[in-house]
Amino acid sequence: MTPVLATFEQLSKQMLIDIGTLVRCESPSSDLEAVAASADAVALVGTALLGVEPERVIVDGCTHLRWRLGEGPRRVLLLGHHDTVWPLGSLETHPWSVEDGVIRGPGSFDMKIGVVMALYAAAHVDRGAPITVLVTGDEETGSDTSRALIEQSCRDVAAVLVLEASADGGALKTARKGISDYRVVVSGRASHAGLEPEAGINAALELAHQIIRIAAIGSTELGTTVVPTVVSGGTTTNTVPASAEVTVDSRAWSREEQQRVDREIRALRPVLPGARLVVTGGPNRPPLEREMSAELFAIAARVADEAGLGRLGESHVGGGSDGNLTAGLGVPTLDGLGAVGGGAHADHEHALVEEIPVRTALVTMLVNRLTEPVPSDERVPKK
């Protein structure tokens, strides 16, 4: 056992206490007061570990925290979020618990364990290592208020390590699909459905044509999904609908595919005479393409092997994270370094206790390797 791993094994009980503190402080993204209270809890844990209070950045009422530590040319950003998808009251049906080596509780796996891991790793890296810890409060709803802060925090960063939960079996996430969201609104003309349906322009029928077209934009071969999701339209059962709309979720592995989908959705044209279409939305997160994580993954795998932490696996996933944003800026990014378990956003959300000190040791040693003041053969590529 390496000294770093031994340290976190000794600290594991305190880490569980801190994780429990954060999980018990519910923080649904849409409840800004709850997010603010959660930020207070994260700040207390972080200040106790790091010896300095965080910078609080409040944008449109949403609270984000940032610690900027050390000085040096090869700064590393540890990135995570403290908001969750779980509504207030979820603890009543999904209580915090640690039983038989398994942690359960709303938001534990995604990703309050990762937040605690980031803070403990930052507290135990080599003295003076140049690191930034950024914990945002709106990742689960698209990072609208934190995007500028994330971009600002990347300006002098050589690498980003995202403490989101791992993929299956503890695999790191070396690629994520880019995400686009659209709203397609159809305008027609109302008329009586029984007396003179021919006098109307049926927006629901037009939308049906468009939904078939939209779904066909996807590519099974390239892994591009274009999925009509929420559909609405019409007013009463005896009225030809004057309006209808659909929201669309699209995901793609490459920026090229994301842009192709955007062009094709914006090129949609009405089928029915007199109908009108309005398309809003667009790309929300660029893809985290594997080329942005490949060298960091190789370094992490080497660090894990040298420390006897086991063989690291990698996975490509469809879900997005703030790692998509940092990779889109051209900053080398490695994701999925957080908790090992499963069930994100689901009733069976859980994490394995035994993996927490191991993963925290990996992050700590990886930061040390990446912030070495003397250039080595393992330099992360420049932006």
Side-chain angles (χ1 to χ4, degrees):
M1 182 181 295
T2 67
V4 176
L5 177 55
T7 295
F8 291 119
E9 291 284 3
Q10 294 170 358
L11 291 170
S12 59
K13 289 184 178 180
Q14 184 59 48
M15 292 182 76
L16 286 177
I17 292 172
D18 290 335
I19 292 167
T21 297
L22 298 195
V23 173
R24 289 189 183 99
C25 188
E26 295 178 301
S27 53
S29 310
S30 59
D31 190 320
L32 297 181
E33 289 186 5
V35 170
S38 173
D40 289 342
V42 174
L44 284 173
V45 172
T47 300
L49 287 166
L50 302 174
V52 59
E53 293 187 0
E55 174 189 2
R56 290 174 182 266
V57 181
I58 301 175
V59 181
D60 294 337
C62 188
T63 308
H64 317 293
L65 304 174
R66 180 170 61 182
W67 284 267
R68 188 175 170 88
L69 309 167
E71 297 293 338
R74 302 186 65 208
R75 180 169 293 275
V76 171
L77 172 62
L78 301 182
L79 182 59
H81 66 89
H82 66 100
D83 62 312
T84 78
V85 301
W86 295 86
L88 291 180
S90 294
L91 283 169
E92 296 178 9
T93 54
H94 299 76
W96 158 259
S97 69
V98 183
E99 297 179 2
D100 299 324
V102 177
I103 293 173
R104 300 185 190 278
S108 54
F109 179 65
D110 183 16
M111 60 157 287
K112 294 192 175 181
I113 292 174
V115 170
V116 171
M117 287 173 54
L119 295 171
Y120 272 78
H124 290 86
V125 296
D126 290 344
R127 184 178 298 275
I131 58 174
T132 297
V133 180
L134 178 59
V135 184
T136 65
D138 67 346
E139 190 274 344
E140 296 290 5
T141 53
S143 307
D144 290 337
T145 70
S146 60
R147 185 179 298 250
L149 177 62
I150 293 168
E151 293 174 352
Q152 180 194 65
S153 299
C154 283
R155 286 178 183 167
D156 62 347
V157 165
V160 177
L161 305 180
V162 185
L163 276 290
E164 287 275 4
S166 69
D168 291 347
L172 303 190
K173 297 171 180 177
T174 55
R176 286 183 179 271
K177 286 185 177 182
I179 303 173
S180 301
D181 299 301
Y182 297 93
R183 180 175 176 232
V184 180
V185 178
V186 177
S187 297
R189 182 170 62 240
S191 67
H192 195 291
L195 295 177
E196 49 178 0
E198 70 283 354
I201 300 172
N202 195 319
L205 181 57
E206 176 65 44
L207 185 64
H209 287 293
Q210 298 301 331
I211 286 174
I212 292 172
R213 290 180 168 186
I214 289 166
I217 295 173
S219 170
T220 302
E221 180 183 359
L222 298 176
T224 304
T225 58
V226 183
V227 183
T229 53
V230 180
V231 180
S232 62
T235 53
T236 66
T237 59
N238 60 351
T239 303
V240 171
S243 63
E245 64 180 71
V246 62
T247 59
V248 181
D249 179 294
S250 177
R251 307 195 179 214
W253 290 117
S254 69
R255 190 181 291 268
E256 180 181 8
E257 267 294 274
Q258 191 176 43
Q259 292 171 346
R260 177 190 68 81
V261 170
D262 190 66
R263 289 194 301 271
E264 294 195 24
I265 287 185
R266 296 187 188 283
L268 293 170
R269 295 294 181 266
V271 174
L272 302 181
R276 291 174 294 151
L277 296 181
V278 175
V279 176
T280 57
N284 173 269
R285 297 180 189 272
L288 193 173
E289 299 187 55
R290 191 181 182 282
E291 64 183 29
M292 296 307 301
S293 65
E295 293 200 34
L296 280 176
F297 177 76
I299 296 171
R302 194 171 304 128
V303 168
D305 181 64
E306 292 171 357
L309 300 182
R311 182 178 179 276
L312 290 180
E314 62 175 309
S315 181
H316 299 176
V317 298
S321 81
D322 287 335
N324 291 64
L325 302 180
T326 60
L329 294 171
V331 185
T333 300
L334 186 59
D335 205 335
L337 286 155
V340 177
H345 301 189
D347 288 342
H348 64 289
E349 181 172 12
H350 68 282
L352 304 179
V353 173
E354 65 181 359
E355 294 289 348
I356 294 174
V358 176
R359 302 291 279 213
T360 311
L362 172 62
V363 173
T364 303
M365 290 185 283
L366 183 54
V367 170
N368 288 337
R369 184 69 59 89
L370 295 173
T371 56
E372 289 175 350
V374 179
S376 71
D377 293 337
E378 295 178 339
R379 289 296 297 262
V380 176
K382 293 182 179 180
K383 292 183 280 185

